[in-house]
Amino acid sequence: MTGLYEGLGVPVALNGVGPATRLGGLPLHPDVWAAMQESLASPVRMDVFEEAAGRRIAELLGAPAAYVTSGASAAMLLGTAAAMTGGRADLVDRLPDTTGMRRRVLIQAAHRDPYDRAVAPTGAVLETIGYPDSTHPDELDRALGDDVAAVLYRPGKPGNLLSLAATAEIAHAHDVPVIVDGAVHAPGLERLRALFTDGADLVALSGGKGFRGPQASGLLLGRADLVAAVGAQHQDMDERLTTWPPGLAAGRRTPPRHGPGRPMKVGREQIAGLLAALERYVRDPGGDEAPGIAELDETERVLREGGAEVTRHHDAALDVPSLHVRAGDGAAAVDALVLALAARPVPAYVGEAEAWRGIVTINPMALRPGDGVALGIAIVESLEHR
Ligand SMILES: *Cc1c(COP(=O)(O)O)cnc(C)c1O
């Protein structure tokens, strides 16, 4: 299997970051490869496959409805478009020209994140309410109106913020749906189900993070009418109206044309692989993390033996243990360590979220057998040779 990368001169990396898109995501379980491979042997009608997989996934996750996307970002974009158009063909065909449509999307300042970029291609305008450490209910209530398409909500942020339940209550009083970016909030399944109990209308999830599915997969879960509206803006519409089976794009009353989601299509291997990964996850939640965590123990041992300053933590978002390793006094020490690790013959990567205080972090999720020791040695050597 290494032949492909070796042949191109692309070094296989040691990934201590975890499910990072820039590192290709996680190594996947052979059950997931097998499902992807099986799907690739035969053609199918994609809208029919999407619909059937969506029904099965909704059942597995306990969600009202589900639609497979190419990632959480794509799910945020498609969910926003669904909230703006309701799947109406005349509106879908007009995007990103939002004339006459609900187009404002509200978000608490504390919830802002670079992934908010996903909302913009629909033509929607993101509007921040509140401040980085607090939002008042009135600030949301006052901002709502009949030109608001959705409230975007990102759970797990600290501060005196509006809870999801409070946000949903206020938004629903204005008939506005709440879209949750749950990319690092689910799994676990209880956390996911609580989002719906609290009033989320749509939840965007990553397939390639904690669910350990294909990197270019994700999910939009939630209200059946909004999920149904997604097909109309995402499915391939290279069809004639007279011979076109309604399927997932039902509700279009004009000749089908490609919607704004067409540039983020999913292949049948993404759907098949994500479905297989979710079946595994639901059977034994978190069970596939054990081998990586055993590798992390090895990294910790090698680091301690090598004299590195290391502490063990729990990554609450991804629900896995993590290591914090001191690189030095501040960000510059982290820069030096990270650059030294990346320059090695087997390049190694570690988390940089705590760089400002001189710490690099290590996540176990992408560590393969032997990676734990190798990563520990790489860090000890890089710290020594500065
Ligand atoms: C990773 C991430 C996304 C994007 O997920 P993809 O599946 O890679 O598109 C969105 N929001 C947050 C908070 C994330 O961490």
Side-chain angles (χ1 to χ4, degrees), residues 171-232:
H172 292 166
H174 292 262
D175 211 15
V176 169
V178 179
I179 303 175
V180 174
D181 174 2
V184 285
H185 196 69
L189 294 176
E190 276 77 46
R191 279 202 299 211
L192 174 60
R193 285 166 191 156
L195 296 176
F196 292 114
T197 312
D198 285 350
D201 297 276
L202 288 174
V203 177
L205 296 182
S206 216
K209 290 182 180 165
F211 288 120
R212 305 192 80 99
Q215 175 55 24
S217 74
L219 284 167
L220 188 65
L221 303 176
R223 252 170 60 188
D225 60 324
L226 290 172
V227 170
V230 168

Side-chain angles (χ1 to χ4, degrees), residues 19 21 69-76 113 115-116 154 157 181-185 204-209 215-219:
T21 298
T69 67
S70 56
S73 271
M76 286 164 66
D113 181 296
Y115 285 109
D116 295 343
R154 197 164 272 119
K157 301 287 184 183
D181 174 2
V184 285
H185 196 69
L205 296 182
S206 216
K209 290 182 180 165
Q215 175 55 24
S217 74
L219 284 167

Side-chain angles (χ1 to χ4, degrees), residues 90-313:
D90 54 333
L91 302 185
V92 171
D93 284 348
R94 206 184 294 156
L95 291 180
D97 172 357
T98 58
T99 312
M101 263 179 255
R102 291 172 175 255
R103 65 191 294 263
R104 291 164 62 220
V105 174
L106 307 179
I107 185 169
Q108 298 183 64
H111 288 188
R112 287 301 314 265
D113 181 296
Y115 285 109
D116 295 343
R117 190 66 202 263
V119 168
T122 60
V125 176
L126 200 65
E127 208 173 290
T128 299
I129 55 167
Y131 288 86
D133 59 356
S134 79
T135 312
H136 293 160
D138 268 8
E139 289 169 332
L140 174 59
D141 195 51
R142 279 200 303 269
L144 283 157
D146 58 13
D147 57 348
V148 175
V151 178
L152 184 58
Y153 193 96
R154 197 164 272 119
K157 301 287 184 183
N160 293 316
L161 309 175
L162 301 184
S163 67
L164 177 57
T167 302
E169 193 183 331
I170 298 167
H172 292 166
H174 292 262
D175 211 15
V176 169
V178 179
I179 303 175
V180 174
D181 174 2
V184 285
H185 196 69
L189 294 176
E190 276 77 46
R191 279 202 299 211
L192 174 60
R193 285 166 191 156
L195 296 176
F196 292 114
T197 312
D198 285 350
D201 297 276
L202 288 174
V203 177
L205 296 182
S206 216
K209 290 182 180 165
F211 288 120
R212 305 192 80 99
Q215 175 55 24
S217 74
L219 284 167
L220 188 65
L221 303 176
R223 252 170 60 188
D225 60 324
L226 290 172
V227 170
V230 168
Q233 30 223 342
H234 183 248
Q235 289 295 307
D236 183 69
M237 293 286 170
D238 198 3
E239 311 244 22
R240 288 176 60 246
L241 182 62
T242 43
T243 58
W244 162 61
L248 269 175
R252 291 190 73 104
R253 285 174 298 272
T254 60
R257 301 292 179 198
H258 298 309
R262 179 62 180 78
M264 56 204 73
K265 70 180 179 183
V266 297
R268 57 203 195 276
E269 68 277 22
Q270 267 91 46
I271 298 179
L274 179 56
L275 183 54
L278 292 171
E279 299 271 8
R280 276 193 71 76
Y281 184 88
V282 169
R283 218 177 300 137
D284 180 16
D288 283 345
E289 302 305 339
I293 293 170
E295 292 299 316
L296 190 75
D297 294 342
E298 288 300 293
T299 309
E300 184 176 7
R301 182 180 59 75
V302 172
L303 286 170
R304 284 193 197 289
E305 285 170 10
E309 191 183 323
V310 53
T311 51
R312 196 152 173 123
H313 295 258

